Amino acid sequence: MGRGTLRIYLGAAPGVGKTYAMLAEAHRRVERGTDCVVALVEHHDRPRTEVMLHGLEQIPRSEIDYRSAVFTEMDVDAVLERAPAVALVDELAHTNVPGSRNAKRWQDVEELLKAGIDVISTVNIQHLESLGDVVESITGVRQQETVPDEVVRRADQIELVDMSPQALRRRMAHGNIYQPDKLDAALSNYFRPGNLTALRELALLWTADRVDEYLQQYRGEHNIRTTWQARERIVVGLTGGPEGRTLIRRASRMAAKGSGSEILAVYIARSDGLTSASPKELAVQRTLVEDVGGTFHHVIGDDIPAALLEFARGVNATQIVLGSSRRKTWQYIYGPGVGATVARESGPDLDVHIVTHEEVAKGRGLPIARGARLGRARIVSGWLVGVAGPALLSLLLRSLENGPGLANDVLLFLFLTVAAALLGGLRPALASAAVGVMLLNYWFTPPTQTLTVQDPENFVAIVIFFAVAVAVSSVVDLAARRTHQAARLRAESEILSFLAGSVLRGETALDALLERVRETFAMESVALLERASDVDPWTCAGFVGPAPVARPDDADVDMPVGDNMALALSGRVLPAEDRRVLGAFAAQAAVVLDRQRLVSEADRARRLAEGNRIRTALLAAVSHDLRTPLAGIKAAVSSLRSDDVAWSPEDEAELLAGIEDGADRLDHLVGNLLDMSRLQTGTVTPLIREIDLDEVVPMALGGVPEGSVDLDIPETLPMVAVDPGLLERVVANVVENAVKYSPGGEPIAVAASAHGERVELRVVDRGRGVPDEAKERIFEPFQRYGDAPRGAGVGLGLAVSRGFAEAMGGTLDAEDTPGGGLTMVLTLTAAPGREQAQDRAVLPAEATS
């Protein structure tokens, strides 16, 4: 008997419908006549899932006694004895009760498969063993029940059961997954939209990888060698010209036609100096690429077609998008161009798209960044034409029976000299002139095959040839140098214009400017160093790239900025002509650094102004909120001291209670005012120590009426690292505020839970709630929400609470309560060095079973 097949329904989270889909598949198979039984299905009291069990044969479970309790597990022996064609086994990652046949349910499934029984099972993405750490970082829950990835990967079929986070939360709110008493806790903890979105992405990515494995296996079995472009990855080659925007938009439209397509824009710069592109235009194109969801890459390479193809193959690209050449027709004498070369060498698996644009054939100009230097290939070509060319020409002319004559021979040799000057510069041209003179004298000037010139006219012709060759070579070389110098000046002007524009725009990102320096000069790292005086050590004010230098003396290139600041570059030595532009960059870096510091000073001044505003508001608040309880106290005291009225004991007690209530209000107001003053002046110094929440929270509830709070703090919570006094003030203020707005005396809920390295305390009320636009405003000083009665305080409670929470390294935020109301979420840091137990009460049964 052969091995059975395994089919798994994979879900991103509990409640997406895995068990329901498995049971639906079972009904379809039963209708087709397949012998299908339910070995074990957990319906978790979900009505719709329970209904799906009707009409399916269920094998009774085995009962196991463990610690004076009876548990049920799948009866493997009964399933093997029944020997159905298909068995349904829910929750593959489940841990069996001690005393069971196997420790894990997936091991039970392995026995069924070995017996030739097909198995349909379910599992959630968070139960895969390799994703345990990732899931814990997302949800704060460490999954205790896991299944080895290999068990799931060996499945013959894996079907993803997907559902959007919003739809899943709606399903929960309708009561289709959990009972109402567990609903709020689940929605506020494990089933947050962010958690569900991250888990959904994990499930989709894991399934996509599994699909790739299936595809590779199929291709191997059928010996398929060509590339199957299942996922498009489009590389856009940029030159820094204006056509780049057209190419990016065209690639974006191409990517939109296929799901999961990626766009990678790449600019390839030469390694011998300044780049040949406009930095301003490249910055615009970089922003455009990011706007369409792509990534921008900067690559160094002298052979642009080869570098582009190497990059495309390195990122497993399927398509390359290039623009039609901007060359004029005559400029193709220098070569076929990047587009034609890439298309020729791309191979059959890499598609190359040549996109037309408005700049076609308008001229691309000479390379801007190379100055008077010529590339190695052109210099070698110049020497070959200048030295080997005359020799080959001599052989050709000697092979002719009747040559063209000495005058034409001289013109042909002069042409080679000019060509050598155009390609390699002055030195190859001079060498070509010298070699040409020798060959003309030896082979073509009577008497031939000697260095003697018999006819004076021929001697004059040879001398004139040499003079003209030298003159023409000098003029051609000088013109080439002037052209390159003009191009360099244009590049420098564009860079300086970009720097001036950044000053006018008020850009203050030092890292972005240093990155621009690194890309422009093709460096490995760039650092801006400064020191207080000539005797102080250098400090790094900002850097980009790996391993920045600590001193200007250690850099390959350093550019001083004043007496105590320098721009240090590592990677290669720059030619002298590049230092002028580097000086402009260095000056701009110093300006940006000063501007950042001025912005920081302005922020401090703004905080001082805010402090003055708060003091002004404080005086206005004191004029009313402090005088009101004082007036009540004075009136009560005056009444008690009056001799005109004989107060009964009940009246005296009432007046004394009023005095006590007013004094308490004054104490609370003054305490909040002092706390706010400490926060504004930065004098709050928390004394952090480890403590349990259940030691602090009950003490903070002393100021609220009895029975107004439902407290739920599990004993399994880890300790928190806080200042107990500050934490008590935070909890007291937040709880009193929630009680104040809770309608009709309805009790508020105070619940705590652990999430990885943090602990959350949630204070939930069922009041009117707060609009989203006002959730941050309620934490500002002297702010009271619209329905707060006068005399309810100066509006400092939540501001002080958030300040204290942040001083302890925590946060305090406001969220909507599911079903209406406001939930205050206080997040604290769990104490280090202790095993943090999880609050299982708020987790789904499938996640903790």
Side-chain angles (χ1 to χ4, degrees):
M1 182 179 294
R3 179 182 173 88
T5 61
L6 175 61
R7 177 171 183 171
I8 293 179
Y9 286 92
L10 176 67
V16 295
K18 304 178 303 299
T19 304
Y20 190 94
M22 178 180 67
L23 293 172
E25 175 64 19
H27 280 286
R28 285 192 293 269
R29 297 198 180 197
V30 169
E31 291 175 359
R32 294 195 299 264
T34 304
D35 182 15
C36 183
V37 301
V38 176
L40 188 143
V41 166
E42 300 286 357
H43 56 73
H44 299 293
D45 296 327
R46 296 168 185 169
R48 297 188 179 182
T49 305
E50 192 172 1
V51 168
M52 292 295 291
L53 286 170
H54 297 166
L56 297 176
E57 178 185 350
Q58 301 185 48
I59 296 180
R61 304 185 187 187
S62 63
E63 296 183 351
I64 301 174
D65 293 329
Y66 179 68
R67 292 184 178 179
S68 303
V70 178
F71 299 88
T72 61
E73 294 289 358
M74 181 175 66
D75 193 338
V76 179
D77 291 328
V79 177
L80 293 174
E81 183 179 355
R82 170 66 173 75
V86 179
L88 307 184
V89 182
D90 206 3
E91 297 183 5
L92 186 64
H94 172 76
T95 301
N96 293 330
V97 175
S100 301
R101 182 189 186 98
N102 295 299
K104 292 284 190 177
R105 186 168 291 168
W106 64 264
Q107 295 170 329
D108 296 337
V109 170
E110 282 293 316
E111 286 198 38
L112 301 182
L113 293 173
K114 289 178 182 178
I117 300 174
D118 295 342
V119 176
I120 304 177
S121 187
T122 65
V123 71
N124 284 328
I125 191 68
Q126 68 263 27
H127 294 300
L128 294 181
E129 198 168 88
S130 65
L131 300 178
D133 294 337
V134 179
V135 172
E136 182 180 11
S137 66
I138 294 171
T139 65
V141 178
R142 182 66 184 185
Q143 299 296 330
Q144 303 301 323
E145 296 181 331
T146 59
V147 58
D149 289 45
E150 185 59 27
V151 173
V152 182
R153 288 183 181 276
R154 285 202 306 264
D156 299 275
Q157 297 181 57
I158 297 178
E159 182 171 337
L160 179 65
V161 183
D162 188 27
M163 178 175 289
S164 69
Q166 295 79 9
L168 181 56
R169 285 171 61 87
R170 283 196 301 270
R171 176 182 287 185
M172 294 188 64
H174 293 158
N176 296 333
I177 300 177
Y178 294 118
Q179 299 299 322
D181 58 335
K182 298 181 179 179
L183 182 59
D184 288 345
L187 287 174
S188 301
N189 291 273
Y190 194 87
F191 287 87
R192 295 178 179 178
N195 290 1
L196 296 177
T197 301
L199 292 174
R200 186 188 190 198
E201 183 178 12
L202 275 180
L204 291 171
L205 291 175
W206 195 92
T207 307
D209 291 339
R210 185 68 180 108
V211 171
D212 287 340
E213 292 177 12
Y214 279 132
L215 182 61
Q216 294 300 327
Q217 179 181 354
Y218 179 85
R219 286 163 50 81
E221 292 174 353
H222 293 77
N223 197 27
I224 300 173
R225 299 301 180 189
T226 58
T227 301
W228 285 5
Q229 301 174 355
R231 180 183 300 181
E232 295 293 348
R233 185 165 290 172
I234 305 171
V235 170
V236 183
L238 301 178
T239 65
E243 78 282 358
R245 306 183 198 182
T246 302
L247 302 184
I248 295 170
R249 295 188 182 99
R250 182 70 180 91
S252 176
R253 293 194 297 272
M254 293 168 59
K257 297 178 180 179
S259 177
S261 299
E262 299 179 44
I263 299 176
L264 302 93
V266 58
Y267 171 70
I268 300 175
R270 298 183 183 274
S271 61
D272 59 352
L274 296 172
T275 63
S276 61
S278 166
K280 181 179 179 181
E281 181 63 30
L282 272 183
V284 173
Q285 293 176 14
R286 181 197 295 264
T287 303
L288 180 59
V289 169
E290 294 171 352
D291 289 342
V292 300
T295 57
F296 184 90
H297 303 267
H298 189 279
V299 177
I300 305 298
D302 291 323
D303 189 342
I304 293 179
L308 181 60
L309 288 171
E310 181 180 359
F311 174 83
R313 294 188 176 110
V315 299
N316 195 27
T318 58
Q319 302 183 56
I320 296 179
V321 177
L322 299 173
S324 297
S325 178
R326 286 183 285 143
R327 291 181 175 189
K328 294 183 179 297
T329 304
W330 64 269
Q331 290 178 314
Y332 282 96
I333 63 174
Y334 297 115
V338 173
T341 304
V342 170
R344 184 181 66 246
E345 300 178 1
S346 62
D349 299 332
L350 191 57
D351 296 336
V352 179
H353 302 267
I354 306 298
V355 180
T356 58
H357 49 84
E358 295 180 352
E359 304 296 322
V360 173
K362 290 186 177 180
R364 52 183 298 230
L366 294 174
I368 295 176
R370 303 176 62 187
R373 300 184 301 277
L374 297 172
R376 179 178 299 179
R378 286 191 57 179
I379 293 176
V380 172
S381 300
W383 281 102
L384 289 176
V385 171
V387 177
L392 295 175
L393 180 61
S394 298
L395 292 177
L396 177 63
L397 294 176
R398 290 286 297 174
S399 64
L400 298 177
E401 229 176 273
N402 296 318
L406 182 59
N408 292 324
D409 293 341
V410 169
L411 291 177
L412 291 174
F413 278 96
L414 182 61
F415 171 76
L416 291 179
T417 302
V418 173
L422 289 172
L423 290 174
L426 182 60
R427 292 181 181 179
L430 294 178
S432 178
V435 172
V437 166
M438 298 295 295
L439 293 176
L440 282 171
N441 187 6
Y442 189 82
W443 290 110
F444 304 104
T445 305
T448 58
Q449 299 184 7
T450 67
L451 295 179
T452 302
V453 181
Q454 183 176 4
D455 190 347
E457 293 182 359
N458 293 336
F459 178 78
V460 172
I462 292 175
V463 170
I464 292 176
F465 160 75
F466 185 76
V468 170
V470 171
V472 170
S473 300
S474 300
V475 171
V476 170
D477 182 72
L478 180 62
R481 289 176 181 272
R482 292 290 182 264
T483 301
H484 285 299
Q485 289 172 2
R488 161 172 285 278
L489 291 175
R490 186 176 70 180
E492 292 180 359
S493 66
E494 289 181 352
I495 294 174
L496 295 176
S497 174
F498 166 76
L499 290 177
S502 65
V503 173
L504 295 176
R505 291 189 298 270
E507 297 177 358
T508 58
L510 180 60
D511 291 344
L513 180 63
L514 296 181
E515 180 64 27
R516 176 67 64 188
V517 175
R518 189 174 74 89
E519 291 184 357
T520 298
F521 296 98
M523 288 293 181
E524 293 179 0
S525 65
V526 179
L528 183 61
L529 307 176
E530 63 175 348
R531 58 183 178 181
S533 64
D534 295 340
V535 297
D536 290 324
W538 291 94
T539 60
C540 184
F543 72 92
V544 294
V549 297
R551 299 183 308 161
D553 296 339
D554 300 332
D556 294 319
V557 181
D558 70 283
M559 175 59 64
V561 186
D563 296 331
N564 299 313
M565 186 176 291
L567 192 64
L569 293 79
S570 300
R572 65 186 182 89
V573 178
L574 285 181
E577 57 266 27
D578 285 350
R579 294 183 64 87
R580 178 171 53 188
V581 177
L582 181 60
F585 271 113
Q588 176 66 5
V591 170
V592 169
L593 181 61
D594 289 340
R595 181 176 296 157
Q596 286 183 346
R597 290 172 175 169
L598 289 174
V599 169
S600 178
E601 292 291 338
D603 288 340
R604 283 195 290 270
R606 191 178 298 109
R607 286 195 294 270
L608 290 175
E610 180 66 15
N612 290 331
R613 186 191 69 81
I614 289 177
R615 282 191 288 273
T616 302
L618 173 61
L619 292 175
V622 167
S623 66
H624 179 275
D625 294 284
L626 292 182
R627 291 179 62 184
T628 299
L630 281 174
I633 293 173
K634 180 173 176 56
V637 171
S638 299
S639 299
L640 288 174
R641 295 188 62 188
S642 174
D643 297 331
D644 300 336
V645 181
W647 301 102
S648 65
E650 292 80 6
D651 293 336
E652 289 183 358
E654 184 178 353
L655 291 173
L656 290 173
I659 293 173
E660 184 179 13
D661 180 64
D664 289 341
R665 288 177 58 192
L666 280 176
D667 180 68
H668 182 73
L669 292 173
V670 172
N672 277 340
L673 291 172
L674 292 176
D675 291 339
M676 199 66 219
S677 176
R678 292 167 58 200
L679 289 171
Q680 290 294 326
T681 56
T683 58
V684 176
T685 306
L687 301 177
I688 304 296
R689 67 183 180 90
E690 297 180 6
I691 193 170
D692 287 318
L693 274 181
D694 55 9
E695 296 182 25
V696 179
V697 175
M699 298 174 59
L701 304 181
V704 297
E706 187 175 353
S708 60
V709 176
D710 289 337
L711 189 60
D712 180 18
I713 300 181
E715 296 180 357
T716 57
L717 281 180
M719 300 179 74
V720 291
V722 296
D723 183 318
L726 295 183
L727 177 59
E728 183 179 347
R729 293 293 304 277
V730 172
V731 176
N733 281 342
V734 173
V735 170
E736 290 175 8
N737 187 77
V739 171
K740 182 192 310 179
Y741 290 101
S742 185
E746 183 177 344
I748 66 170
V750 178
S753 58
H755 302 277
E757 298 179 354
R758 65 187 190 275
V759 174
E760 286 187 355
L761 185 70
R762 308 178 74 85
V763 180
V764 182
D765 69 61
R766 294 292 182 178
R768 292 176 48 190
V770 176
D772 291 339
E773 62 272 12
K775 282 188 173 62
E776 285 299 315
R777 194 166 62 248
I778 61 177
F779 291 102
E780 296 178 4
F782 306 103
Q783 295 292 326
R784 289 179 292 190
Y785 194 49
D787 60 352
R790 292 296 299 173
V794 294
L796 288 177
L798 292 181
V800 170
S801 298
R802 171 173 276 189
F804 282 172
E806 293 176 349
M808 294 184 293
T811 60
L812 179 62
D813 299 294
E815 297 180 357
D816 290 329
T817 301
L822 188 69
T823 298
M824 289 291 179
V825 184
L826 174 62
T827 304
L828 303 171
T829 303
R834 291 192 49 165
E835 182 179 356
Q836 299 177 8
Q838 303 301 331
D839 178 13
R840 293 179 174 269
V842 299
L843 300 179
E846 292 181 42
T848 60
S849 58

